[in-house]
Amino acid sequence: MTAAPAAEGVTGARTLTVRYAGGGTRRGPVTMGQANMIRCILRDEPDSINLHDVWPVPDGTAMDVALAALAELAARHEALRTTFPYQEGGAAPTEQVVAPAGSFTVTVLDHDTLPEDPDTYAEAVARSARDTRFRLDLDFPLRLRIIARAGRPVRVALAASHAVTDGSALGVLRDEWLALLAGEPLSPVTAVTPLDLAIEENTPAGRRKSAASLAHWEGILRTGPQAMFAEDGAVGTETDTPGLTLRSARGGRALAAAARRTGALPGTVLLTAWCVLTAHRAGQSVCVAAVPTSNRFLPKLARSVSTLSQDALLGLDVRAPSFDAVLAKAWGAAMNAYRHSRFDALDLWELIGRVTTERGSQFARDAVFNDISALPSTLAGAAAPDAHAPELELAWGEPQSLPTRLLTFVYQTEPVLRLATWADPVLFPRTAAEELATGLVRLLEAVAEADVPLDAPGRLSEVTGVRPVERGAEWTRVDGCWVSPAAVAAALTEALRGRPVEVVVEEGTDGDESGRRLVAYVGADERTWPDGALTPEAAHTALMAVLPGRPGVLAPHRYVFVEGPPRHPAAARRILSEGTGRSREMPHDHR
């Protein structure tokens, strides 16, 4: 969280009320995207879920013109006139109401002299506006600050409710704001409104689409790695992560050349390169990543002012002889993820809970790739257009608390590749994070020249300068996941309140990873063992409760309670109880 700096030359702050009127009263259910974000708003701290942006103001713009433009945006877009009936402490709202008219307030911060860097100052003002919660049932969804000099507006710094906007929606509003201030007429709104989208989602076809999305997620949840970064040091569910921005003309040229050589879209080439590099660094054969911008790939949604923030879940198998072979299946995998990115968030979390309990895992949203380069950009998310094109430049920013271990936002792909990456600093110290960013450019340059072999040991490390994580000998792959049996034993001992545990890996008859099973031997004493207290089912339930934040832990496939210390083998010991503890046996693949 960044506090707004004290600005020199402030002559005063005043609050203005702006009224608007437009459209009619509408009422209906919330969209799936709104329900998803409302759930986060009610759960998370406001500075982590609210959005912010900074809008430029052309020189000479009068204050009344700026206020009139804001009023026109409110009248034009139903999302800005929407509230959600809600009682504090009650169930999450399921209905949205669009008002035909209303008002909002604008805080004007007037200055005699602006700070030397007005954009950085405005960014800090906008960030500070995120700290207060939006009232879902009452508040206008934009918290507006106009930074002025001698009464003339020079920047608009704002926070936005994620219940009705996302980053792309703010980009649409920014585009229209600039057009209004330039005196340009706005085209009629043709993008789908939130209420119309909700109606579509509740049709039989919409419900079938949601069911298909859940089936897509279930397939990946049951077979893919539970966490991309299951390794020493990967602990906790949130990371305090500084941002690293890359600006590279080299990267832009290489991406364009790679797209020409392969005949693939630049966005697909970049996504493939990022997945290949991420899986390489994590030592995984499948890259499982959330790709949030997928929901705007339909024309009617591209410029919708609404929140469409729902993850598409990509599972890209990177086992292939070469980069081009992975690229050949990346487009289909991405489109499959995009098509299956609309779902009821509560249904999804119920699915995740059920499937991971059956699998004995905790799904970690470790890797996120958000390419917004083709969507309306926002000033807060991406710097103003480059006055020059650096060959390769890296810049560190402020830390943010994020529930992920690797997050990449792509802002621009040509002529300069511009992206920002937030990488868990425990797993990626500054040097390693910089190597990851420059390694992506190096991989694109190599792909631009020729196909890059992926089955030659050490070749990808040689090309990119990025080496796979080194896991100790105690780590092994079970059920498509990297697992530390020692960590499993420690977690189970904690879950069972100190009972001694030994976890072993039993090899199957197949001779490969797919046959491996984890077996936990738990020491028990029949004389002090409460009747029925230590069943396999109870042990499994207790372990699942302590799994979050432990990506190297997978629940045992079998629990064996033995009398005395849990030394393996247990053949000479009296077995008191044994069983799977799971509600069903899970299918396995060879990932």
Side-chain angles (χ1 to χ4, degrees):
M1 180 170 59
T2 304
E8 299 179 0
V10 177
T11 58
R14 65 187 190 276
T15 300
L16 304 177
T17 298
V18 179
R19 302 190 182 281
Y20 61 86
T25 301
R26 299 186 70 195
R27 180 185 294 263
V30 297
T31 68
M32 292 177 180
Q34 287 172 330
N36 183 37
M37 285 298 99
I38 287 171
R39 180 179 180 275
C40 296
I41 288 168
L42 296 177
R43 180 194 63 199
D44 298 343
E45 291 302 313
D47 64 313
S48 67
I49 190 62
N50 290 340
L51 307 173
H52 76 283
D53 199 8
V54 175
W55 296 350
V57 180
D59 291 342
T61 300
M63 184 65 71
D64 60 345
V65 172
L67 297 176
L70 293 173
E72 185 165 347
L73 291 177
R76 176 177 169 84
H77 294 291
E78 289 189 1
L80 301 185
R81 297 184 275 117
T82 296
T83 54
F84 305 89
Y86 172 67
Q87 289 187 346
E88 191 70 27
T94 58
E95 186 181 47
Q96 57 181 311
V97 177
V98 178
S103 64
F104 58 87
T105 59
V106 178
T107 300
V108 178
L109 304 174
D110 213 348
H111 303 69
D112 285 331
T113 303
L114 287 174
E116 184 175 342
D117 187 347
D119 286 329
T120 299
Y121 168 58
E123 166 80 5
V125 171
R127 279 188 175 277
S128 70
R130 293 172 59 152
D131 295 348
T132 304
R133 290 189 184 277
F134 282 90
R135 282 277 305 269
L136 291 169
D137 60 335
L138 184 65
D139 288 349
F140 186 72
L142 301 182
R143 188 172 292 132
L144 297 154
R145 311 281 189 263
I146 292 183
I147 298 170
R149 181 178 57 235
R152 290 276 186 174
V154 293
R155 297 287 188 278
V156 175
L158 62 91
S161 169
H162 217 332
V164 297
T165 63
D166 55 21
S168 298
L170 289 179
V172 173
L173 292 173
R174 176 176 172 263
D175 285 350
E176 294 184 351
W177 156 262
L178 291 173
L180 288 170
L181 295 188
E184 300 172 1
L186 298 181
S187 302
V189 175
T190 58
V192 67
T193 67
L195 272 173
D196 290 336
L197 181 59
I199 292 170
E200 178 184 317
E201 289 174 343
N202 283 283
T203 63
R207 289 192 291 271
R208 287 193 298 271
K209 183 175 291 187
S210 178
S213 295
L214 295 178
H216 167 81
W217 274 73
E218 183 170 0
I220 295 175
L221 290 171
R222 288 196 183 278
T223 60
Q226 65 168 346
M228 284 300 293
F229 298 102
E231 55 192 74
D232 292 326
V235 295
T237 56
E238 290 203 353
T239 60
D240 197 28
T241 307
L244 175 63
T245 298
L246 165 77
R247 295 161 64 236
S248 176
R250 280 174 49 191
R253 291 194 301 270
L255 179 57
R260 287 194 300 271
R261 185 189 68 78
T262 60
L265 294 171
T268 307
V269 175
L270 184 60
L271 173 63
T272 304
W274 185 88
C275 286
V276 165
L277 191 61
T278 297
H280 169 69
R281 159 56 184 79
Q284 301 281 13
S285 58
V286 178
C287 181
V288 174
V291 281
T293 53
S294 62
N295 289 284
R296 292 184 178 268
F297 78 106
L298 294 174
K300 67 179 179 180
L301 297 174
R303 295 188 63 82
S304 174
V305 174
S306 183
T307 183
L308 301 176
S309 294
Q310 290 186 278
D311 284 344
L313 190 64
L314 173 69
L316 180 60
D317 192 332
V318 299
R319 291 171 298 181
S322 69
F323 182 92
D324 286 6
V326 178
L327 179 62
K329 54 186 176 181
W331 186 86
M335 289 304 298
N336 197 36
Y338 297 166
R339 285 194 297 267
H340 296 113
S341 58
R342 190 184 298 178
F343 43 78
D344 184 295
L346 294 179
D347 288 346
L348 177 64
W349 281 106
E350 187 279 328
L351 170 72
I352 291 174
R354 174 170 51 83
V355 171
T356 54
T357 297
E358 291 170 355
R359 191 180 184 189
S361 66
Q362 179 70 37
F363 172 67
R365 189 176 180 264
D366 269 359
V368 181
F369 182 83
N370 206 10
D371 185 352
I372 62 173
S373 61
L375 302 175
S377 62
T378 59
L379 191 61
D386 291 310
H388 67 288
E391 285 297 287
L392 195 153
E393 179 182 271
L394 297 172
W396 285 95
E398 295 296 321
Q400 294 187 51
S401 182
L402 298 171
T404 186
R405 301 197 190 277
L406 181 64
L407 166 64
T408 297
F409 266 78
V410 180
Y411 301 119
Q412 183 181 358
T413 57
E414 55 86 23
V416 175
L417 176 62
R418 182 168 62 226
L419 54 83
T421 292
W422 291 261
D424 184 344
V426 176
L427 308 184
F428 297 89
R430 289 208 168 198
T431 299
E434 291 175 355
E435 287 175 349
L436 191 70
T438 57
L440 182 63
V441 174
R442 292 175 62 177
L443 178 56
L444 292 172
E445 289 177 328
V447 171
E449 294 293 326
D451 194 6
V452 175
L454 301 179
D455 55 359
R459 176 60 176 153
L460 196 53
S461 295
E462 178 185 334
V463 167
T464 65
V466 176
R467 299 187 178 280
V469 61
E470 293 184 4
R471 294 181 175 89
E474 74 276 10
W475 287 85
T476 187
R477 286 178 63 86
V478 177
D479 190 17
C481 305
W482 280 107
V483 179
S484 167
V488 177
L492 188 52
T493 292
E494 177 184 328
L496 298 181
R497 300 182 181 180
R499 290 193 178 272
V501 176
E502 180 180 354
V503 174
V504 299
V505 179
E506 292 188 350
E507 298 290 344
T509 58
D510 297 339
D512 62 20
E513 173 198 326
S514 66
R516 293 178 190 154
R517 296 291 186 272
L518 292 174
V519 180
Y521 293 90
V522 182
D525 185 338
E526 191 175 49
R527 291 170 300 175
T528 60
W529 183 5
D531 185 32
L534 284 181
T535 64
E537 292 77 14
H540 186 73
T541 298
L543 179 59
M544 291 302 297
V546 302
L547 275 195
R550 303 173 192 250
V553 175
L554 191 72
H557 296 82
R558 194 160 192 81
Y559 298 85
V560 182
F561 294 95
V562 298
E563 191 172 42
R567 299 276 193 273
H568 178 70
R573 301 192 180 278
R574 182 183 175 200
I575 295 177
L576 303 175
S577 176
E578 64 179 316
T580 178
R582 308 183 186 204
S583 58
R584 59 177 283 188
E585 285 292 325
M586 299 294 295
H588 302 279
D589 69 3
H590 294 263
R591 295 181 181 180

